[in-house]
Amino acid sequence: MSKPSRWWLLRNISRLLTSGTHRVEFADFWMGDQFCSLVFTLSNLYFVGCLYAEGFDPDWRKCTPNPGPRWGIAFLLGSLPLLVRLVQSVKRYADSGLITHLINYGSGILYYLFYFLWRAQEGRHGVIFVLWCVFATNYSIYAGAWDLLMDWSLLRPHVPYPLLRKDLLYSNNVPLYYFAIVSNTLIRFIWLLYIPSRGPNFILRTFIAGFLEVLRRWQWNFLRLENEHIGNVDQYRVTREVPLPYSHDDLAHDSDGDDEDDARPHRSPTGRSWRVGRKPHSADSDATAAAEVGVVDA
């Protein structure tokens, strides 16, 4: 990464830490969304620090927060991106009055809260488990619909390609749009992988879920930036051609009229030509001129 890119990254991360004190721009919530896909990584920062502090001994599982009394630390670290996005949503609500952003990230925080509580109870199927499933379902449906309808502007009616949009930048790879719709929806419900009591180790499941979420976000970025660019072009925030207040036909008609005016002789305001006319040359004029010359010689 080049030096300007590093400064850009640090500057935008610092803006995330000061969310709510300034206007939320595209780079702010776009960067916040990137960190929302790193919940698995951020929640395991305590686990990594504990391992290096205690040593890699056979009893390394004592550092894992799930299940255990340290679930609060993992929840706090993992929910930081969602908390930042919630603050940004509150700021956008204060500026625009739209409440839709508050529902999205508010339900996400509750989803992870009940998830860590359920894991702290060693995965027992009780009241906490039911609440976790309710909030997880709500968050997956709402966030998945937000991805397709708002972030990607897909599922539009009366378009050349069904369920897509009118303008596509990747028009040579139309099947990838349908793959993105299906895969994004399925990975939004990846939390179902945690429910079976049998199967792979739970740590392995969380790694698989975190890895798939990173891939989903990588795919999401292409269509999100495409949709943002198309929106900027439609609103003339980014354009290579500025629309003129006349058509090419009118311009061609005016130029034809100018050509006709140029073909006509130009006359003075008095009706006479601006050219000074010469007198006709005749034999009488030559005789008069010769006589005058003779008088001068005499």
Side-chain angles (χ1 to χ4, degrees):
M1 184 181 294
S2 61
K3 184 177 180 180
S5 300
R6 291 196 298 268
W7 278 114
W8 181 89
L9 179 62
L10 293 176
R11 184 175 65 254
N12 283 277
I13 291 177
S14 64
R15 287 178 61 88
L16 290 180
L17 299 177
T18 58
S19 297
T21 61
H22 50 78
R23 177 191 170 110
V24 182
E25 299 179 354
F26 173 74
D28 299 325
F29 62 77
W30 181 82
M31 181 63 70
D33 286 335
Q34 309 307 309
F35 280 94
C36 286
S37 293
L38 299 178
V39 173
F40 171 77
T41 303
L42 295 175
S43 63
N44 280 278
L45 290 178
Y46 173 80
F47 171 71
V48 175
C50 179
L51 279 181
Y52 277 96
E54 299 292 337
F56 292 86
D57 52 26
D59 194 22
W60 60 270
R61 289 181 179 272
K62 64 183 179 182
C63 292
T64 57
N66 296 319
R70 302 184 182 90
W71 69 268
I73 301 176
F75 167 70
L76 180 62
L77 293 174
S79 61
L80 276 178
L82 293 171
L83 182 61
V84 170
R85 290 294 286 122
L86 180 61
V87 173
Q88 291 179 344
S89 300
V90 172
K91 177 61 176 176
R92 296 190 69 180
Y93 170 71
D95 295 338
S96 63
L98 296 177
I99 199 174
T100 51
H101 300 276
L102 300 178
I103 301 175
N104 192 5
Y105 296 99
S107 61
I109 293 177
L110 293 176
Y111 155 60
Y112 282 107
L113 173 62
F114 286 105
Y115 163 74
F116 282 101
L117 283 173
W118 174 61
R119 288 301 303 153
Q121 295 182 353
E122 300 184 356
R124 291 193 296 268
H125 291 182
V127 178
I128 299 298
F129 172 75
V130 174
L131 290 175
W132 170 60
C133 290
V134 171
F135 283 106
T137 303
N138 176 74
Y139 177 63
S140 297
I141 294 176
Y142 195 89
W146 188 275
D147 291 336
L148 302 180
L149 298 176
M150 303 297 293
D151 291 338
W152 294 352
S153 296
L154 299 180
L155 306 182
R156 303 299 181 187
H158 312 298
V159 292
Y161 299 100
L163 302 180
L164 301 185
R165 74 173 90 88
K166 180 180 178 181
D167 299 319
L168 301 175
L169 295 184
Y170 309 112
S171 56
N172 294 330
N173 300 281
V174 173
L176 293 180
Y177 288 90
Y178 296 103
F179 174 80
I181 292 174
V182 175
S183 59
N184 187 85
T185 304
L186 292 177
I187 296 177
R188 278 295 187 183
F189 287 87
I190 196 62
W191 55 270
L192 295 172
L193 184 65
Y194 301 143
I195 295 179
S197 56
R198 298 181 181 181
N201 184 277
F202 199 83
I203 297 177
L204 178 60
R205 297 188 202 182
T206 55
F207 173 77
I208 294 174
F211 181 72
L212 290 177
E213 172 60 22
V214 170
L215 293 180
R216 187 196 69 82
R217 182 63 66 181
W218 173 78
Q219 170 186 262
W220 177 90
N221 284 329
F222 286 96
L223 300 184
R224 180 65 185 90
L225 294 177
E226 176 202 26
N227 186 41
E228 184 69 15
H229 175 72
I230 292 176
N232 289 336
V233 172
D234 289 341
Q235 299 178 20
Y236 298 107
R237 291 196 295 260
V238 175
T239 182
R240 291 184 178 180
E241 297 179 357
V242 178
L244 301 176
Y246 52 82
S247 64
H248 293 284
D249 295 336
D250 297 336
L251 182 62
H253 179 73
D254 294 340
S255 63
D256 292 341
D258 294 340
D259 294 339
E260 293 177 359
D261 293 339
D262 293 340
R264 298 171 184 171
H266 295 278
R267 299 184 178 275
S268 62
T270 59
R272 298 179 181 180
S273 174
W274 62 273
R275 298 176 182 271
V276 179
R278 293 183 178 181
K279 295 181 180 180
H281 186 77
S282 62
D284 295 337
S285 62
D286 291 342
T288 304
E292 293 177 355
V293 172
V295 172
V296 173
D297 292 340

